[in-house]
Amino acid sequence: DNYKALGDTVKCKEVLTAGFAKFPTNQSILVALINVYRESNEDPAKVLEILKVAQKNEPNNASLYYVEGNIYNELRQATKDDEVKAAEYLAKAVEAYDACEGVNPAYEFGHIGKGVMFYNYAIELQEKASNELDDKKWMELNKQFEEALKNALNPFESAFNLTKDESLKVSIAEYLKNIYYRFISNGPEFEEGYKKYNDIVASR
């Protein structure tokens, strides 16, 4: 932050790169590193080069693939005005999050990352639709919103079943409660899902 305030982006990147190499799962370092690349008009995807070295050194570390998913998700958000590029980053994020399961089937955070990404993507689409005056475009955005929200269901369900952390279960249940409620009129399975996760959240 000090180097950034002084306008020394080279030193800023050096410090953040060193920090990321030592603590690749630290989200605040990751976001700061991506932002400094963006602000200096350099390709933030270069952060992936650092991560690939870490993955090569620790191929059985599922958290490194979770971080890769987070990087692509950050890039997706940074380029969301470019629909083609944003879609490419979203697909790469899904691939990285899914890779977590291949490395460690008991690792819940790949599912959580994927679920949160699709949930937030759905919110973005919902906000975009709320500002759309063209009925045809609104219907298309609303359709995309519902698809993104449903895409978050399975990852969250998997994470809920995998995690042993009770507080994390409640946090995941909050997402699931909201999703099931949105589709409660679509059938009894959604009503049952809402009741199940609402009861879990209410009991904590």
Side-chain angles (χ1 to χ4, degrees), residues 109-169:
F109 289 98
H111 299 292
I112 292 172
K114 185 177 177 182
V116 170
M117 179 183 69
F118 274 116
Y119 189 90
N120 289 339
Y121 178 45
I123 299 303
E124 290 170 19
L125 289 166
Q126 186 181 43
E127 290 175 355
K128 192 173 180 180
S130 69
N131 295 318
E132 182 55 64
L133 299 177
D134 184 291
D135 286 347
K136 188 175 180 181
K137 290 180 180 178
W138 179 89
M139 287 178 67
E140 179 58 30
L141 286 167
N142 193 59
K143 180 183 175 183
Q144 291 175 17
F145 157 70
E146 291 188 345
E147 286 176 356
L149 208 52
K150 285 181 178 178
N151 282 337
L153 264 179
N154 285 340
F156 278 138
E157 292 274 13
S158 297
F160 182 87
N161 292 328
L162 280 171
T163 189
K164 303 295 189 292
D165 186 321
E166 287 303 315
S167 63
L168 197 51
K169 274 186 180 292

Side-chain angles (χ1 to χ4, degrees), residues 65-133:
Y65 295 90
Y66 167 69
V67 172
E68 183 180 359
N70 289 348
I71 291 173
Y72 280 123
N73 187 35
E74 289 288 341
L75 293 173
R76 179 196 69 78
Q77 291 176 309
T79 59
K80 61 184 178 183
D81 291 335
D82 183 336
E83 292 183 8
V84 174
K85 188 168 286 188
E88 289 176 2
Y89 285 137
L90 186 142
K92 287 180 181 292
V94 168
E95 186 178 340
Y97 288 134
D98 286 346
C100 295
E101 186 175 14
V103 174
N104 181 1
Y107 184 76
E108 66 265 52
F109 289 98
H111 299 292
I112 292 172
K114 185 177 177 182
V116 170
M117 179 183 69
F118 274 116
Y119 189 90
N120 289 339
Y121 178 45
I123 299 303
E124 290 170 19
L125 289 166
Q126 186 181 43
E127 290 175 355
K128 192 173 180 180
S130 69
N131 295 318
E132 182 55 64
L133 299 177

